Amino acid sequence: MPTVTVENYLKAIYSLQLTEGRAKSKAIAERLEVSVPSVTSMLQSLSGEGMVDYQPYKGEIPGRINGSLISMEDGSGTAYSIDKLQDRGTFFILPGDNLYT
């Protein structure tokens, strides 16, 4: 039989999932007026008992703003290839230009 504390956590998680689609540690902490590390510890414990599916936050996935497109093979650039790839970056070649790897 779960303790009152466990029941309070489960109710908060259920309520947040209904209203927000998922229950984040910070939102649970605010609702229960406890610290985020306390929530994390309880979520890990509840996950170990199979009561919740806890997945730790891994941070935002950064978008790529810099990089280079390089040729995979020697030869000349074709209009078709350039057209299909130009949405991925700025090209400094024209169709027929010699490419090298």
Side-chain angles (χ1 to χ4, degrees):
M1 180 122 214
T3 65
V4 173
T5 303
V6 169
E7 286 182 6
N8 289 340
Y9 272 89
L10 293 174
K11 287 177 187 177
I13 292 166
Y14 180 75
S15 175
L16 287 165
Q17 284 180 328
L18 288 178
T19 58
E20 299 178 21
R22 62 182 171 179
K24 295 182 180 180
S25 297
K26 184 176 179 181
I28 297 168
E30 289 171 358
R31 179 150 309 180
L32 297 176
E33 298 179 353
V34 297
S35 68
V36 174
S38 295
V39 172
T40 301
S41 177
M42 179 59 83
L43 290 174
Q44 290 170 340
S45 176
L46 292 173
S47 179
E49 295 178 27
M51 293 184 177
V52 298
D53 179 24
Y54 171 68
Q55 297 176 356
Y57 180 71
K58 298 190 181 197
E60 294 292 325
I61 299 173
R64 177 175 269 174
I65 57 172
N66 295 335
S68 300
L69 296 171
I70 59 171
S71 174
M72 293 172 47
E73 297 178 10
D74 292 339
S76 62
T78 64
Y80 177 82
S81 297
I82 293 170
D83 180 55
K84 295 299 177 189
L85 294 172
Q86 68 185 355
D87 62 328
R88 298 183 184 189
T90 303
F91 277 75
F92 300 98
I93 65 165
L94 297 171
D97 285 354
N98 287 325
L99 307 175
Y100 58 92
T101 53

